[in-house]
Amino acid sequence: MKCLCLIAFLAFVITQSYNDLGVDAAPGDSFVSRRGVQFILNGKPFYANGFNAYWLMYEATDPTTRYKVTHALESAAGQGLTIARTWGFRDGGYRALQTNLGSYDEQTFQGLDFAIAEAKRVGIKMIIAFVNNFPDFGGKKQYVEWAKSKGQAVTSEDDFYTNALLKQAYMNHVKTVVNRVNTFTKVAYKDEPTIMAWELMNEPECRADISGKTLTAWISEMATYVKSLDSKHLLSTGSEGFYGQSTPQRMTDLNPVAANIVGSDFIANHNLDAIDFASVHSYPDTWFPKSDEKTLLDYLRKNLVGHIEDAQNVLKKPLILGEFGKPSNAPGYTQAQRDAVFTIVFDIIYASAQKGGAAAGALFWHLINEDMNNFKDAYSIALSEKSSTVNIIGQQSRKMNLVSGKGKPSR
């Protein structure tokens, strides 16, 4: 408790320092770019290990809980983690960022400001998603409800991708976020090198059109729009990586059967000029709940290797495994099972990185502090636990950081 109180005090001091002095860039701070299948930072290949912390803005909205953001990011940096993926949205509800279409809560926006400023201070890059496919924290569903309240004839959440008002509302949100001037750093988000990339949506799906054409058209249109506002940052889809009708054999070999009706197409969704890197998520325990552990691990390995091959040879772009983990509530769960998942993922990513390949990093789901029971779930990991999984995470960070900057970027 004394430690947490000290951290809270330090967070207060940091906040006051930001207000008084602004934030200096971390050593070597510059934009991450792309060349071929590699990310480039300061002229050298950038390979990374990272995490998801979707709650950063939420906890930083209240100045009295900002210490949780400080503690999490400092702990992550201490383990050599260099990318944090988080939400740039909270549509409606408690501590909303967007309280109605085009209306924003300044205190919540300052929460996101603080999270970015803290990441900048400790030298962690950020990937920020603009909206959610799911109703958690608003998402497409909230946008559709807002459109209905304005008299729009929308009946499905997937009208989000085709209704003119909803598309404009999404673009307005993007514009508001990228043009935001951080109240702590005094730097516009679009000019902030701490932000590595934007994601169009967390896990976009369009079940209204299983051909994948509607979603691909939306991604193409919105990616072009984002780039018209912000040409400095990388951009990806936020996709789970399910294959579609452009690659029927991959659908058969690598998709969970249920994924064939979500309207996603890994190749078509990412084979667009405005999309800089490929996104994939992996949750075998959710997709195959009746499978034994060996089957789950075999699928994890096959699916990740297949996506890396396609990023390398077809898309010719980097790939980030944006979410993965092992739930502690799985039948017969042991710590060794979680360790096996992390080891397989990290070994595959590292093998590609060592060769200068497309696998740029993996971001585990998800990081919390030990005192955050409100966000604790079957996937959450507190780095202070000093578990065997935490040791594996730290080892991977060191290995990926050693690979970064060695050799010449690929052509």
Side-chain angles (χ1 to χ4, degrees):
M1 183 62 71
K2 288 182 179 178
C3 179
L4 292 178
C5 290
L6 176 60
I7 293 168
F9 172 73
L10 290 174
F12 171 78
V13 171
I14 289 166
T15 299
Q16 292 303 112
S17 297
Y18 286 154
N19 291 337
D20 294 341
L21 303 173
V23 181
D24 292 331
D29 195 17
S30 63
F31 287 95
V32 178
S33 61
R34 176 177 76 89
R35 186 181 301 156
V37 299
Q38 292 182 324
F39 292 128
I40 304 297
L41 179 62
N42 297 318
K44 299 177 180 179
F46 177 57
Y47 290 96
N49 200 24
F51 60 95
N52 285 268
Y54 65 92
W55 49 267
L56 293 176
M57 177 175 65
Y58 178 90
E59 289 293 352
T61 295
D62 180 354
T64 67
T65 58
R66 285 179 179 164
Y67 73 90
K68 297 179 182 181
V69 174
T70 298
H71 182 45
L73 292 175
E74 287 182 346
S75 297
Q79 287 288 342
L81 293 159
T82 51
I83 299 177
R85 179 172 178 261
T86 195
W87 297 164
F89 61 84
R90 193 173 182 88
D91 306 307
Y94 181 60
R95 291 191 186 177
L97 175 62
Q98 190 171 195
T99 56
N100 207 328
L101 288 180
S103 297
Y104 291 84
D105 185 279
E106 176 60 22
Q107 186 173 348
T108 303
F109 235 143
Q110 288 185 19
L112 185 55
D113 291 347
F114 181 83
I116 293 169
E118 280 292 77
K120 185 185 188 82
R121 184 178 66 83
V122 301
I124 289 177
K125 298 293 185 182
M126 299 186 82
I127 296 176
I128 301 176
F130 287 125
V131 73
N132 203 1
N133 176 67
F134 305 104
D136 308 82
F137 314 112
K140 290 187 309 185
K141 182 178 181 180
Q142 181 61 73
Y143 274 80
V144 169
E145 290 301 318
W146 281 332
K148 283 181 181 178
S149 71
K150 294 184 178 296
Q152 293 290 301
V154 287
T155 57
S156 162
E157 289 181 24
D158 287 338
D159 288 335
F160 179 87
Y161 299 114
T162 56
N163 177 271
L165 182 144
L166 287 171
K167 290 201 293 182
Q168 188 60 54
Y170 173 84
M171 290 190 286
N172 291 346
H173 175 65
V174 168
K175 186 175 183 179
T176 299
V177 172
V178 301
N179 286 332
R180 167 78 176 181
V181 175
N182 192 309
T183 53
F184 297 102
T185 67
K186 314 305 180 187
V187 177
Y189 286 12
K190 64 184 177 183
D191 298 322
E192 177 53 73
T194 296
I195 299 171
M196 172 179 169
W198 305 110
E199 285 184 345
L200 293 176
M201 179 181 287
N202 176 53
E203 300 188 342
E205 298 178 357
C206 181
R207 295 169 186 257
D209 179 8
I210 63 173
S211 75
K213 292 180 180 178
T214 296
L215 185 55
T216 300
W218 182 86
I219 290 171
S220 179
E221 180 181 359
M222 297 307 163
T224 300
Y225 178 73
V226 173
K227 288 290 190 176
S228 75
L229 298 175
D230 178 3
S231 61
K232 295 179 180 179
H233 287 109
L234 299 171
L235 179 65
S236 193
T237 60
S239 168
E240 295 153 293
F242 298 135
Y243 287 90
Q245 294 182 9
S246 68
T247 51
Q249 191 58 52
R250 283 301 206 197
M251 290 179 72
T252 301
D253 294 343
L254 296 181
N255 274 8
V257 173
N260 293 333
I261 62 167
V262 302
S264 178
D265 190 321
F266 176 70
I267 298 299
N269 294 165
H270 294 98
N271 202 17
L272 300 165
D273 289 344
I275 296 297
D276 296 298
F277 63 96
S279 166
V280 61
H281 297 173
S282 188
Y283 290 109
D285 290 274
T286 301
W287 301 336
F288 308 103
K290 296 181 180 180
S291 294
D292 60 36
E293 201 63 23
K294 182 181 184 302
T295 302
L296 294 174
L297 294 177
D298 287 346
Y299 173 81
L300 171 68
R301 185 181 293 106
K302 180 181 178 182
N303 187 51
L304 182 54
V305 168
H307 280 86
I308 293 170
E309 288 175 351
D310 287 340
Q312 181 87 33
N313 301 320
V314 180
L315 298 172
K316 303 184 188 307
K317 297 177 181 182
L319 175 142
I320 284 184
L321 177 59
E323 294 184 19
F324 77 98
K326 177 69 179 181
S328 60
N329 60 357
Y333 169 82
T334 65
Q335 187 73 40
Q337 290 177 348
R338 177 173 281 180
D339 290 350
V341 167
F342 277 68
T343 297
I344 287 172
V345 166
F346 287 162
D347 284 353
I348 292 170
I349 296 288
Y350 180 64
S352 173
Q354 267 191 312
K355 297 180 292 186
L363 318 178
F364 70 83
W365 186 273
H366 63 110
L367 176 69
I368 62 167
N369 294 321
E370 65 274 10
D371 64 332
M372 292 179 61
N373 290 330
N374 52 331
F375 288 101
K376 187 174 184 179
D377 61 27
Y379 285 93
S380 56
I381 294 175
L383 297 176
S384 60
E385 292 171 353
K386 305 297 183 183
S387 66
S388 52
T389 305
V390 172
N391 290 336
I392 292 168
I393 291 169
Q395 290 167 9
Q396 177 73 355
S397 297
R398 289 188 289 274
K399 289 163 68 175
M400 294 296 278
N401 289 335
L402 282 172
V403 170
S404 289
K406 287 193 172 183
K408 296 180 180 179
S410 63
R411 297 292 180 184

